[in-house]
Amino acid sequence: MKTEQIERIVNRGLDSLRNSLDVYWPAINENDMTERNLSIHVAHSFIQSNWGVYGEASFPKSADKRLDLLALHEETNTFVAAESKILPDGNRAMGLATDVERIKTFKPITDYFEPKAGFGLFLAATWSEEIKEWWIREEDHGSPPEGNMGAGWEALGKHLDRLGATCRARWLQDNDETTDKYHTQWALYAIIKLPL
């Protein structure tokens, strides 16, 4: 299994989310949608591609430590461990950096599944053009996105660069009612190869 194959599945899921957002906005007032919207559409895409999919899957030997999403492909013995976040600004960058640190060590429970390949998948959504541009850099995520500060960006950037993450952005929607920073929403994803 290659990163490009995982990307195709993720992109189909994000297309599904974009189509759904054309029909309905799942939050009220100034609230943003929750990250679960990213997870369920990508999960559905994995299911359509004949993967087994599990929400809130436990880490082996740690019942209180869970993933947002685990996908297993039985034919190739490949797994994808995924976490999702909404990134309205820099405050949640540290949470995503922590997720990367956790997923680097994840392995499925081998009583049930003997992996031959594993990937970490990190999903996010943002209205910030600066965060989107920072995310899709080929390398050098060391400095934070323009207008953002905090140790979370440095930690997240180091992980993305050290792990050789494939980082992409997909357009989700435009808000025609505003021209400010909440005009265009982006889905972000990063994929890393996990050691076995």
Side-chain angles (χ1 to χ4, degrees):
M1 186 72 57
K2 297 183 179 175
T3 301
E4 295 80 14
Q5 294 168 288
I6 305 300
E7 276 194 90
R8 281 194 291 276
I9 295 170
V10 170
N11 283 317
R12 279 197 307 270
L14 296 176
D15 288 345
S16 171
L17 175 57
R18 181 178 56 233
N19 293 337
S20 292
L21 292 175
D22 284 345
V23 176
Y24 185 77
W25 178 247
I28 60 169
N29 301 328
E30 299 299 314
N31 294 321
D32 213 335
M33 69 174 176
T34 66
E35 59 263 16
R36 197 64 59 228
N37 290 284
L38 294 160
S39 299
I40 62 171
H41 284 271
V42 170
H44 185 255
S45 184
F46 274 103
I47 291 168
Q48 286 184 316
S49 300
N50 296 317
W51 288 62
V53 174
Y54 312 89
E56 300 297 322
S58 293
F59 277 63
K61 302 177 186 166
S62 185
D64 61 336
K65 200 170 163 186
R66 293 187 174 92
L67 294 172
D68 286 345
L69 175 68
L70 174 63
L72 303 175
H73 192 253
E74 191 175 21
E75 285 180 35
T76 61
N77 283 43
T78 301
F79 73 92
V80 174
E83 288 287 339
S84 302
K85 289 279 185 282
I86 300 298
L87 290 175
D89 52 39
N91 295 332
R92 303 231 177 103
M94 186 57 85
L96 200 52
T98 301
D99 287 342
V100 175
E101 193 64 38
R102 287 180 342 111
I103 283 182
K104 283 187 340 186
T105 66
F106 180 82
K107 292 181 178 45
I109 301 168
T110 55
D111 293 352
Y112 309 114
F113 184 83
E114 191 62 47
K116 292 185 179 168
F119 295 88
L121 170 63
F122 308 96
L123 300 164
T126 189
W127 291 93
S128 168
E129 184 75 19
E130 293 78 17
I131 291 174
K132 187 263 295 185
E133 288 300 320
W134 178 88
W135 188 273
I136 62 174
R137 288 179 188 170
E138 287 295 318
E139 54 187 38
D140 190 26
H141 289 95
S143 58
E146 185 179 324
N148 287 269
M149 296 174 30
W153 290 112
E154 183 181 346
L156 179 56
K158 282 182 180 177
H159 285 312
L160 295 175
D161 289 343
R162 273 192 209 132
L163 298 169
T166 298
C167 300
R168 306 276 191 261
R170 297 280 297 208
W171 174 81
L172 283 180
Q173 65 175 326
D174 286 328
N175 179 353
D176 295 330
E177 296 175 12
T178 182
T179 57
D180 68 5
K181 66 178 184 174
Y182 296 102
H183 178 69
T184 302
Q185 187 177 39
W186 301 92
L188 313 173
Y189 66 87
I191 301 172
I192 61 170
K193 188 93 165 97
L194 297 176
L196 295 181

mmCIF file with all atom_site columns, all heavy atoms in Angstrom, residues 180-194:
data_model
loop_
_atom_site.group_PDB
_atom_site.id
_atom_site.type_symbol
_atom_site.label_atom_id
_atom_site.label_alt_id
_atom_site.label_comp_id
_atom_site.label_asym_id
_atom_site.label_entity_id
_atom_site.label_seq_id
_atom_site.pdbx_PDB_ins_code
_atom_site.Cartn_x
_atom_site.Cartn_y
_atom_site.Cartn_z
_atom_site.occupancy
_atom_site.B_iso_or_equiv
_atom_site.pdbx_formal_charge
_atom_site.auth_seq_id
_atom_site.auth_comp_id
_atom_site.auth_asym_id
_atom_site.auth_atom_id
_atom_site.pdbx_PDB_model_num
ATOM 1   N N   . ASP A 1 180 ? -13.942 38.514 5.208  1.00 0.00 ? 180 ASP A N   1
ATOM 2   C CA  . ASP A 1 180 ? -12.876 38.510 6.208  1.00 0.00 ? 180 ASP A CA  1
ATOM 3   C C   . ASP A 1 180 ? -12.186 37.151 6.262  1.00 0.00 ? 180 ASP A C   1
ATOM 4   O O   . ASP A 1 180 ? -12.293 36.345 5.339  1.00 0.00 ? 180 ASP A O   1
ATOM 5   C CB  . ASP A 1 180 ? -13.416 38.932 7.581  1.00 0.00 ? 180 ASP A CB  1
ATOM 6   C CG  . ASP A 1 180 ? -14.383 37.903 8.179  1.00 0.00 ? 180 ASP A CG  1
ATOM 7   O OD1 . ASP A 1 180 ? -14.566 36.827 7.581  1.00 0.00 ? 180 ASP A OD1 1
ATOM 8   O OD2 . ASP A 1 180 ? -14.943 38.187 9.247  1.00 0.00 ? 180 ASP A OD2 1
ATOM 9   N N   . LYS A 1 181 ? -11.512 36.872 7.356  1.00 0.00 ? 181 LYS A N   1
ATOM 10  C CA  . LYS A 1 181 ? -10.741 35.632 7.461  1.00 0.00 ? 181 LYS A CA  1
ATOM 11  C C   . LYS A 1 181 ? -11.608 34.378 7.454  1.00 0.00 ? 181 LYS A C   1
ATOM 12  O O   . LYS A 1 181 ? -11.095 33.282 7.315  1.00 0.00 ? 181 LYS A O   1
ATOM 13  C CB  . LYS A 1 181 ? -9.861  35.658 8.703  1.00 0.00 ? 181 LYS A CB  1
ATOM 14  C CG  . LYS A 1 181 ? -10.613 35.651 10.025 1.00 0.00 ? 181 LYS A CG  1
ATOM 15  C CD  . LYS A 1 181 ? -9.627  35.635 11.174 1.00 0.00 ? 181 LYS A CD  1
ATOM 16  C CE  . LYS A 1 181 ? -10.373 35.529 12.491 1.00 0.00 ? 181 LYS A CE  1
ATOM 17  N NZ  . LYS A 1 181 ? -9.472  35.364 13.612 1.00 0.00 ? 181 LYS A NZ  1
ATOM 18  N N   . TYR A 1 182 ? -12.912 34.515 7.602  1.00 0.00 ? 182 TYR A N   1
ATOM 19  C CA  . TYR A 1 182 ? -13.798 33.359 7.567  1.00 0.00 ? 182 TYR A CA  1
ATOM 20  C C   . TYR A 1 182 ? -14.485 33.224 6.208  1.00 0.00 ? 182 TYR A C   1
ATOM 21  O O   . TYR A 1 182 ? -15.611 32.786 6.112  1.00 0.00 ? 182 TYR A O   1
ATOM 22  C CB  . TYR A 1 182 ? -14.836 33.450 8.687  1.00 0.00 ? 182 TYR A CB  1
ATOM 23  C CG  . TYR A 1 182 ? -14.195 33.406 10.048 1.00 0.00 ? 182 TYR A CG  1
ATOM 24  C CD1 . TYR A 1 182 ? -14.021 34.561 10.793 1.00 0.00 ? 182 TYR A CD1 1
ATOM 25  C CD2 . TYR A 1 182 ? -13.714 32.215 10.566 1.00 0.00 ? 182 TYR A CD2 1
ATOM 26  C CE1 . TYR A 1 182 ? -13.399 34.527 12.031 1.00 0.00 ? 182 TYR A CE1 1
ATOM 27  C CE2 . TYR A 1 182 ? -13.090 32.177 11.796 1.00 0.00 ? 182 TYR A CE2 1
ATOM 28  C CZ  . TYR A 1 182 ? -12.939 33.327 12.528 1.00 0.00 ? 182 TYR A CZ  1
ATOM 29  O OH  . TYR A 1 182 ? -12.317 33.286 13.742 1.00 0.00 ? 182 TYR A OH  1
ATOM 30  N N   . HIS A 1 183 ? -13.766 33.581 5.156  1.00 0.00 ? 183 HIS A N   1
ATOM 31  C CA  . HIS A 1 183 ? -14.355 33.509 3.818  1.00 0.00 ? 183 HIS A CA  1
ATOM 32  C C   . HIS A 1 183 ? -14.197 32.132 3.168  1.00 0.00 ? 183 HIS A C   1
ATOM 33  O O   . HIS A 1 183 ? -15.134 31.604 2.589  1.00 0.00 ? 183 HIS A O   1
ATOM 34  C CB  . HIS A 1 183 ? -13.747 34.582 2.911  1.00 0.00 ? 183 HIS A CB  1
ATOM 35  C CG  . HIS A 1 183 ? -14.279 34.539 1.522  1.00 0.00 ? 183 HIS A CG  1
ATOM 36  N ND1 . HIS A 1 183 ? -15.576 34.883 1.216  1.00 0.00 ? 183 HIS A ND1 1
ATOM 37  C CD2 . HIS A 1 183 ? -13.714 34.143 0.364  1.00 0.00 ? 183 HIS A CD2 1
ATOM 38  C CE1 . HIS A 1 183 ? -15.778 34.725 -0.080 1.00 0.00 ? 183 HIS A CE1 1
ATOM 39  N NE2 . HIS A 1 183 ? -14.664 34.271 -0.619 1.00 0.00 ? 183 HIS A NE2 1
ATOM 40  N N   . THR A 1 184 ? -13.008 31.532 3.276  1.00 0.00 ? 184 THR A N   1
ATOM 41  C CA  . THR A 1 184 ? -12.751 30.238 2.638  1.00 0.00 ? 184 THR A CA  1
ATOM 42  C C   . THR A 1 184 ? -12.313 29.225 3.687  1.00 0.00 ? 184 THR A C   1
ATOM 43  O O   . THR A 1 184 ? -11.422 29.495 4.489  1.00 0.00 ? 184 THR A O   1
ATOM 44  C CB  . THR A 1 184 ? -11.651 30.366 1.564  1.00 0.00 ? 184 THR A CB  1
ATOM 45  O OG1 . THR A 1 184 ? -12.066 31.334 0.602  1.00 0.00 ? 184 THR A OG1 1
ATOM 46  C CG2 . THR A 1 184 ? -11.405 29.035 0.867  1.00 0.00 ? 184 THR A CG2 1
ATOM 47  N N   . GLN A 1 185 ? -12.953 28.049 3.648  1.00 0.00 ? 185 GLN A N   1
ATOM 48  C CA  . GLN A 1 185 ? -12.592 26.981 4.575  1.00 0.00 ? 185 GLN A CA  1
ATOM 49  C C   . GLN A 1 185 ? -11.837 25.884 3.825  1.00 0.00 ? 185 GLN A C   1
ATOM 50  O O   . GLN A 1 185 ? -12.219 25.503 2.715  1.00 0.00 ? 185 GLN A O   1
ATOM 51  C CB  . GLN A 1 185 ? -13.832 26.378 5.233  1.00 0.00 ? 185 GLN A CB  1
ATOM 52  C CG  . GLN A 1 185 ? -13.486 25.384 6.323  1.00 0.00 ? 185 GLN A CG  1
ATOM 53  C CD  . GLN A 1 185 ? -14.707 24.835 7.018  1.00 0.00 ? 185 GLN A CD  1
ATOM 54  O OE1 . GLN A 1 185 ? -15.723 24.577 6.393  1.00 0.00 ? 185 GLN A OE1 1
ATOM 55  N NE2 . GLN A 1 185 ? -14.598 24.640 8.320  1.00 0.00 ? 185 GLN A NE2 1
ATOM 56  N N   . TRP A 1 186 ? -10.777 25.394 4.471  1.00 0.00 ? 186 TRP A N   1
ATOM 57  C CA  . TRP A 1 186 ? -9.913  24.376 3.895  1.00 0.00 ? 186 TRP A CA  1
ATOM 58  C C   . TRP A 1 186 ? -9.888  23.139 4.767  1.00 0.00 ? 186 TRP A C   1
ATOM 59  O O   . TRP A 1 186 ? -9.873  23.236 5.995  1.00 0.00 ? 186 TRP A O   1
ATOM 60  C CB  . TRP A 1 186 ? -8.480  24.905 3.775  1.00 0.00 ? 186 TRP A CB  1
ATOM 61  C CG  . TRP A 1 186 ? -8.358  26.118 2.940  1.00 0.00 ? 186 TRP A CG  1
ATOM 62  C CD1 . TRP A 1 186 ? -8.405  27.422 3.350  1.00 0.00 ? 186 TRP A CD1 1
ATOM 63  C CD2 . TRP A 1 186 ? -8.208  26.158 1.523  1.00 0.00 ? 186 TRP A CD2 1
ATOM 64  N NE1 . TRP A 1 186 ? -8.274  28.260 2.279  1.00 0.00 ? 186 TRP A NE1 1
ATOM 65  C CE2 . TRP A 1 186 ? -8.149  27.515 1.141  1.00 0.00 ? 186 TRP A CE2 1
ATOM 66  C CE3 . TRP A 1 186 ? -8.096  25.179 0.531  1.00 0.00 ? 186 TRP A CE3 1
ATOM 67  C CZ2 . TRP A 1 186 ? -7.995  27.909 -0.178 1.00 0.00 ? 186 TRP A CZ2 1
ATOM 68  C CZ3 . TRP A 1 186 ? -7.940  25.564 -0.775 1.00 0.00 ? 186 TRP A CZ3 1
ATOM 69  C CH2 . TRP A 1 186 ? -7.888  26.917 -1.122 1.00 0.00 ? 186 TRP A CH2 1
ATOM 70  N N   . ALA A 1 187 ? -9.858  21.973 4.140  1.00 0.00 ? 187 ALA A N   1
ATOM 71  C CA  . ALA A 1 187 ? -9.546  20.730 4.839  1.00 0.00 ? 187 ALA A CA  1
ATOM 72  C C   . ALA A 1 187 ? -8.063  20.475 4.629  1.00 0.00 ? 187 ALA A C   1
ATOM 73  O O   . ALA A 1 187 ? -7.541  20.645 3.526  1.00 0.00 ? 187 ALA A O   1
ATOM 74  C CB  . ALA A 1 187 ? -10.363 19.569 4.275  1.00 0.00 ? 187 ALA A CB  1
ATOM 75  N N   . LEU A 1 188 ? -7.391  20.116 5.686  1.00 0.00 ? 188 LEU A N   1
ATOM 76  C CA  . LEU A 1 188 ? -5.956  19.824 5.646  1.00 0.00 ? 188 LEU A CA  1
ATOM 77  C C   . LEU A 1 188 ? -5.744  18.373 6.009  1.00 0.00 ? 188 LEU A C   1
ATOM 78  O O   . LEU A 1 188 ? -6.465  17.824 6.843  1.00 0.00 ? 188 LEU A O   1
ATOM 79  C CB  . LEU A 1 188 ? -5.205  20.696 6.658  1.00 0.00 ? 188 LEU A CB  1
ATOM 80  C CG  . LEU A 1 188 ? -5.532  22.192 6.675  1.00 0.00 ? 188 LEU A CG  1
ATOM 81  C CD1 . LEU A 1 188 ? -4.828  22.848 7.859  1.00 0.00 ? 188 LEU A CD1 1
ATOM 82  C CD2 . LEU A 1 188 ? -5.153  22.845 5.364  1.00 0.00 ? 188 LEU A CD2 1
ATOM 83  N N   . TYR A 1 189 ? -4.766  17.745 5.370  1.00 0.00 ? 189 TYR A N   1
ATOM 84  C CA  . TYR A 1 189 ? -4.398  16.410 5.828  1.00 0.00 ? 189 TYR A CA  1
ATOM 85  C C   . TYR A 1 189 ? -2.906  16.206 5.685  1.00 0.00 ? 189 TYR A C   1
ATOM 86  O O   . TYR A 1 189 ? -2.244  16.813 4.846  1.00 0.00 ? 189 TYR A O   1
ATOM 87  C CB  . TYR A 1 189 ? -5.186  15.312 5.109  1.00 0.00 ? 189 TYR A CB  1
ATOM 88  C CG  . TYR A 1 189 ? -4.920  15.147 3.627  1.00 0.00 ? 189 TYR A CG  1
ATOM 89  C CD1 . TYR A 1 189 ? -3.879  14.327 3.176  1.00 0.00 ? 189 TYR A CD1 1
ATOM 90  C CD2 . TYR A 1 189 ? -5.725  15.763 2.684  1.00 0.00 ? 189 TYR A CD2 1
ATOM 91  C CE1 . TYR A 1 189 ? -3.652  14.158 1.829  1.00 0.00 ? 189 TYR A CE1 1
ATOM 92  C CE2 . TYR A 1 189 ? -5.506  15.602 1.333  1.00 0.00 ? 189 TYR A CE2 1
ATOM 93  C CZ  . TYR A 1 189 ? -4.468  14.774 0.909  1.00 0.00 ? 189 TYR A CZ  1
ATOM 94  O OH  . TYR A 1 189 ? -4.230  14.615 -0.434 1.00 0.00 ? 189 TYR A OH  1
ATOM 95  N N   . ALA A 1 190 ? -2.385  15.363 6.565  1.00 0.00 ? 190 ALA A N   1
ATOM 96  C CA  . ALA A 1 190 ? -0.991  14.945 6.509  1.00 0.00 ? 190 ALA A CA  1
ATOM 97  C C   . ALA A 1 190 ? -0.955  13.436 6.698  1.00 0.00 ? 190 ALA A C   1
ATOM 98  O O   . ALA A 1 190 ? -1.702  12.892 7.508  1.00 0.00 ? 190 ALA A O   1
ATOM 99  C CB  . ALA A 1 190 ? -0.172  15.633 7.606  1.00 0.00 ? 190 ALA A CB  1
ATOM 100 N N   . ILE A 1 191 ? -0.104  12.788 5.921  1.00 0.00 ? 191 ILE A N   1
ATOM 101 C CA  . ILE A 1 191 ? 0.041   11.332 5.990  1.00 0.00 ? 191 ILE A CA  1
ATOM 102 C C   . ILE A 1 191 ? 1.509   11.017 6.247  1.00 0.00 ? 191 ILE A C   1
ATOM 103 O O   . ILE A 1 191 ? 2.393   11.547 5.577  1.00 0.00 ? 191 ILE A O   1
ATOM 104 C CB  . ILE A 1 191 ? -0.415  10.663 4.682  1.00 0.00 ? 191 ILE A CB  1
ATOM 105 C CG1 . ILE A 1 191 ? -1.888  11.000 4.398  1.00 0.00 ? 191 ILE A CG1 1
ATOM 106 C CG2 . ILE A 1 191 ? -0.223  9.138  4.761  1.00 0.00 ? 191 ILE A CG2 1
ATOM 107 C CD1 . ILE A 1 191 ? -2.369  10.551 3.025  1.00 0.00 ? 191 ILE A CD1 1
ATOM 108 N N   . ILE A 1 192 ? 1.744   10.144 7.228  1.00 0.00 ? 192 ILE A N   1
ATOM 109 C CA  . ILE A 1 192 ? 3.105   9.689  7.510  1.00 0.00 ? 192 ILE A CA  1
ATOM 110 C C   . ILE A 1 192 ? 3.137   8.168  7.459  1.00 0.00 ? 192 ILE A C   1
ATOM 111 O O   . ILE A 1 192 ? 2.132   7.504  7.719  1.00 0.00 ? 192 ILE A O   1
ATOM 112 C CB  . ILE A 1 192 ? 3.629   10.187 8.874  1.00 0.00 ? 192 ILE A CB  1
ATOM 113 C CG1 . ILE A 1 192 ? 2.753   9.659  10.023 1.00 0.00 ? 192 ILE A CG1 1
ATOM 114 C CG2 . ILE A 1 192 ? 3.721   11.688 8.917  1.00 0.00 ? 192 ILE A CG2 1
ATOM 115 C CD1 . ILE A 1 192 ? 3.312   9.892  11.411 1.00 0.00 ? 192 ILE A CD1 1
ATOM 116 N N   . LYS A 1 193 ? 4.280   7.641  7.114  1.00 0.00 ? 193 LYS A N   1
ATOM 117 C CA  . LYS A 1 193 ? 4.491   6.191  7.161  1.00 0.00 ? 193 LYS A CA  1
ATOM 118 C C   . LYS A 1 193 ? 4.930   5.843  8.573  1.00 0.00 ? 193 LYS A C   1
ATOM 119 O O   . LYS A 1 193 ? 5.804   6.508  9.137  1.00 0.00 ? 193 LYS A O   1
ATOM 120 C CB  . LYS A 1 193 ? 5.586   5.805  6.160  1.00 0.00 ? 193 LYS A CB  1
ATOM 121 C CG  . LYS A 1 193 ? 5.764   4.344  5.973  1.00 0.00 ? 193 LYS A CG  1
ATOM 122 C CD  . LYS A 1 193 ? 4.942   3.857  4.808  1.00 0.00 ? 193 LYS A CD  1
ATOM 123 C CE  . LYS A 1 193 ? 5.388   2.470  4.367  1.00 0.00 ? 193 LYS A CE  1
ATOM 124 N NZ  . LYS A 1 193 ? 4.630   1.388  4.885  1.00 0.00 ? 193 LYS A NZ  1
ATOM 125 N N   . LEU A 1 194 ? 4.310   4.832  9.170  1.00 0.00 ? 194 LEU A N   1
ATOM 126 C CA  . LEU A 1 194 ? 4.626   4.441  10.547 1.00 0.00 ? 194 LEU A CA  1
ATOM 127 C C   . LEU A 1 194 ? 5.593   3.262  10.558 1.00 0.00 ? 194 LEU A C   1
ATOM 128 O O   . LEU A 1 194 ? 5.457   2.337  9.752  1.00 0.00 ? 194 LEU A O   1
ATOM 129 C CB  . LEU A 1 194 ? 3.346   4.068  11.296 1.00 0.00 ? 194 LEU A CB  1
ATOM 130 C CG  . LEU A 1 194 ? 2.331   5.191  11.478 1.00 0.00 ? 194 LEU A CG  1
ATOM 131 C CD1 . LEU A 1 194 ? 1.070   4.656  12.138 1.00 0.00 ? 194 LEU A CD1 1
ATOM 132 C CD2 . LEU A 1 194 ? 2.918   6.321  12.296 1.00 0.00 ? 194 LEU A CD2 1
#
